[in-house]
Amino acid sequence: FILGEKVFARLREQFMERVVALPLSTVERAGTGDLVTRTTRDVDVLSNTVRFAVPSVLVALVATGLTMIATFAAGWRVALPVLVAVPILWVGSRWYLRRAPAGYLRESATYAVLNGTVTENVDGARTVDALGLAGQRRRAVEANLRDSYAAERYTLFLRSVWFPSIDLGYNLPVAGTLAWGGWLALSGQATIGQVTAV
């Protein structure tokens, strides 16, 4: 967590340094919505990733490695069904990782456009009222919301396919180990203790 906080602090500093170093015309061209999204939502997402996901992944990798070592040390014959998870997790994760970056980039882009439209409406509220543009501006927000909703539905679809493959990859080895280990125990090739441990 300390590492995560240090990395996140450095990322915040770099972000501010880079924005301040940009020519003013570039910053103005980006638009308020894009800047608001970058400084709020994107920074929050990155913050959660650095603070929580990175430590969780590191702990999970160490725990998985130690578990695999202990599993095969307890009884390598009984542990063979554990390897069934590898192709399931590999195929499911490859499918997800090929599609996820574009989906999440699109989702972030729709948030930027939506924030820009809402910010423009707030900043120009008097002008919108004076020129009778409320209906047009509302339709623009609704269109942005539809785009954002569609982008979120796509990333939800990706997770809806990936998560069951991950669950299958975790649960199938348990069932396989019980069946295979039971057969090995009945035939005298493994002990009940080994099957239970694995």
Side-chain angles (χ1 to χ4, degrees), residues 26 30 33 36 43 82 124 176:
T26 304
V36 167
V43 170
V82 170

Side-chain angles (χ1 to χ4, degrees), residues 28 48 54 69 77 98 138 140 155 161 197:
E28 288 176 349
N48 285 335
V54 171
I69 291 168
R77 282 189 194 113
R98 259 187 266 124
R138 184 174 38 255
T155 57
V161 172

Side-chain angles (χ1 to χ4, degrees), residues 63-121:
T64 300
L66 292 175
T67 301
M68 293 301 286
I69 291 168
T71 298
F72 280 90
W76 69 269
R77 282 189 194 113
V78 181
L80 289 177
V82 170
L83 299 176
V84 169
V86 174
I88 295 169
L89 295 173
W90 178 263
V91 169
S93 296
R94 291 271 303 170
W95 180 89
Y96 176 78
L97 292 173
R98 259 187 266 124
R99 292 160 177 81
Y104 286 104
L105 284 172
R106 178 177 165 226
E107 188 177 301
S108 291
T110 62
Y111 288 143
V113 171
L114 178 61
N115 279 339
T117 304
V118 170
T119 303
E120 290 167 3
N121 287 346

Side-chain angles (χ1 to χ4, degrees), residues 120-185:
E120 290 167 3
N121 287 346
V122 170
D123 290 344
R126 289 184 180 163
T127 305
V128 168
D129 284 342
L131 298 176
L133 300 173
Q136 179 184 356
R137 299 306 300 169
R138 184 174 38 255
R139 285 189 297 278
V141 169
E142 289 170 356
N144 294 156
L145 283 170
R146 279 191 298 277
D147 291 344
S148 184
Y149 177 75
E152 285 197 31
R153 292 245 340 172
Y154 178 72
T155 57
L156 176 63
F157 162 73
L158 294 177
R159 291 187 303 273
S160 297
V161 172
W162 186 48
F163 288 172
S165 74
I166 296 298
D167 284 342
L168 181 66
Y170 288 139
N171 292 317
L172 190 61
V174 173
T177 300
L178 286 174
W180 174 247
W183 183 82
L184 288 175

